[in-house]
């Protein structure tokens, strides 16, 4: 990392904003993109301590990195993250909207309204807030790539996880609609649908639940590093003719 000065980034550098950057996948995506040429980052998470750990794990590849604590379900906080990127770097080329929460384990009739609301506020509204904040910047640039983290649970039915499944299905559809709405502005919107990889998101699950999930992945459970290639692809020029896609990276979970 290099010292950060305001407006010190020439247009030839790529500016990436990552939400949920303090988690397992967010940290892995941040490390991967920070290691790619001419890339600077604004990393955000609701947990400042987790962000510090992510920054400590970044490769020393010359990226200028700023961090910002923000709750993605709060529109103003997400706007402040994007404003920081514009203030420091003058542009936003890539948004990785990755923050997400699992819903409590339970059948539909047993889950509380607040369980549903939290899942929708973080997983769906969080992605909407990110899109709303970066679109005006990217429209001015006439270029940008938005990558949402959905889940294979948005494509397949997981018993006892209805809010999570419903929100991730909504994220997939959000990516598709946004892709159509903003294609003529030069903005691509895609999502990644990971299968299950080990992270703190499963901390509340009983161990036997994770064992049962693992048994349904032909390649076994993944790790966050198994997913970063998909984000690198969708963020980069190699995917310039790809928009509205839901890229499944799931160890074969959805194949049967
Ligand atoms: N782990 C899996 O098996 C799996 C599978 C499919 C999809 N996903 C998705 O991947 C993404 C990352 O999850 P992970 O597995 O790395 O979990 P994680 O818990 O390690 O990371 C999630 C991060 O999001 C942050 N976060 C939570 N609520 C937030 C909020 N309101 N505002 C801002 N940040 C917030 C957390 O602090 C955490 O750092 C999530 O969207 C998740 O739904 C995970």
């Amino acid at each position: 990392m290099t010292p950060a000065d305001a407006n010190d980034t020439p247009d030839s550098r790529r500016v990436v904003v990552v939400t949920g950057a303090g988690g397992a996948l967010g940290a892995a995506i941040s490390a991967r993109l920070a290691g790619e040429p001419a890339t600077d980052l604004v990393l955000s998470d609701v947990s400042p301590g987790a962000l510090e750990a992510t920054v400590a794990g970044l490769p020393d590849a010359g990226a200028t990195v700023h961090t910002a604590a923000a709750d993605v379900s709060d529109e103003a906080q997400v706007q402040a993250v994007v404003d920081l990127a514009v203030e420091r770097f003058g542009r936003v080329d890539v948004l990785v909207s990755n923050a997400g929460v699992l819903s409590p384990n339970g059948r539909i009739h047993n889950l509380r309204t607040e369980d549903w609301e939290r899942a929708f506020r973080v997983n769906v509204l969080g992605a909407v807030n990110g899109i709303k904040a970066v679109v005006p910047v990217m429209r001015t640039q006439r270029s940008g790539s938005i990558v949402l983290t959905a889940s294979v649970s948005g494509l397949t039915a997981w018993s006892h996880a209805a809010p999570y499944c419903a929100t991730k299905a909504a994220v997939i559809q959000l990516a598709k609609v946004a892709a159509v709405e903003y294609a003529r502005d030069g903005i691509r919107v895609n999502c990644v649908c990971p299968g299950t990889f080990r992270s703190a998101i499963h901390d509340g699950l009983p161990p036997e639940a994770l064992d049962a999930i693992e048994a349904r992945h032909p390649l076994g459970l993944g790790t966050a590093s198994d997913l970063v290639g998909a984000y690198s692809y969708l963020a980069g020029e190699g995917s310039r003719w790809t928009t509205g896609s839901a890229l499944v990276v799931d160890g074969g979970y959805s194949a049967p």
Side-chain angles (χ1 to χ4, degrees):
M1 279 172 285
T2 56
D5 295 314
N7 302 316
D8 61 353
T9 305
D11 280 354
S12 57
R13 293 185 68 80
R14 178 177 68 161
V15 178
V16 177
V17 174
V18 183
T19 72
L25 182 54
I29 295 166
S30 302
R32 170 62 178 259
L33 298 183
E36 294 183 350
T39 297
D40 296 316
L41 298 108
V42 172
L43 305 181
S44 177
D45 198 285
V46 75
S47 163
L51 273 180
E52 277 178 35
T54 295
V55 172
L58 294 178
D60 193 5
T64 297
V65 181
H66 295 282
T67 59
D71 179 341
V72 290
S73 67
D74 184 313
E75 184 175 6
Q77 292 186 35
V78 177
Q79 185 65 55
V81 173
V82 172
D83 288 348
L84 175 69
V86 173
E87 178 196 319
R88 297 305 167 103
F89 299 122
R91 58 190 296 114
V92 177
D93 298 290
V94 179
L95 168 69
V96 180
S97 172
N98 171 70
V101 290
L102 204 56
S103 50
N105 201 40
R107 286 199 287 168
I108 294 166
H109 69 284
N110 288 326
L111 293 169
R112 302 166 307 168
T113 298
E114 47 265 47
D115 299 328
W116 289 90
E117 284 177 345
R118 178 162 189 258
F120 273 91
R121 288 192 66 77
V122 178
N123 296 353
V124 183
L125 199 55
V128 171
N129 287 338
I131 292 170
K132 285 178 73 172
V134 297
V135 155
V137 182
M138 290 178 172
R139 287 188 75 200
T140 303
Q141 298 166 182
R142 298 208 55 75
S143 69
S145 173
I146 299 172
V147 188
L148 311 179
T149 296
S151 167
V152 75
S153 70
L155 298 165
T156 59
W158 289 15
S159 179
H160 295 74
Y164 189 68
C165 292
T167 57
K168 292 302 185 176
V171 171
I172 293 167
Q173 197 62 6
L174 179 65
K176 289 178 184 292
V177 175
V180 172
E181 287 191 5
Y182 299 117
R184 298 287 176 201
D185 293 308
I187 303 169
R188 297 184 298 107
V189 189
N190 295 284
C191 65
V192 178
C193 298
T196 304
F197 57 93
R198 294 187 188 279
S199 81
I201 208 169
H202 302 118
D203 281 355
L205 282 184
E208 59 273 20
L210 205 54
D211 291 345
I213 293 169
E214 178 164 20
R216 293 174 62 186
H217 287 70
L219 293 180
L221 294 186
T223 65
S225 62
D226 293 323
L227 289 150
V228 294
Y231 288 85
S232 172
Y233 167 68
L234 291 174
E237 268 300 294
S239 62
R240 64 184 175 275
W241 201 52
T242 301
T243 198
S245 75
L247 179 49
V248 174
V249 186
D250 69 350
Y253 179 90
S254 59

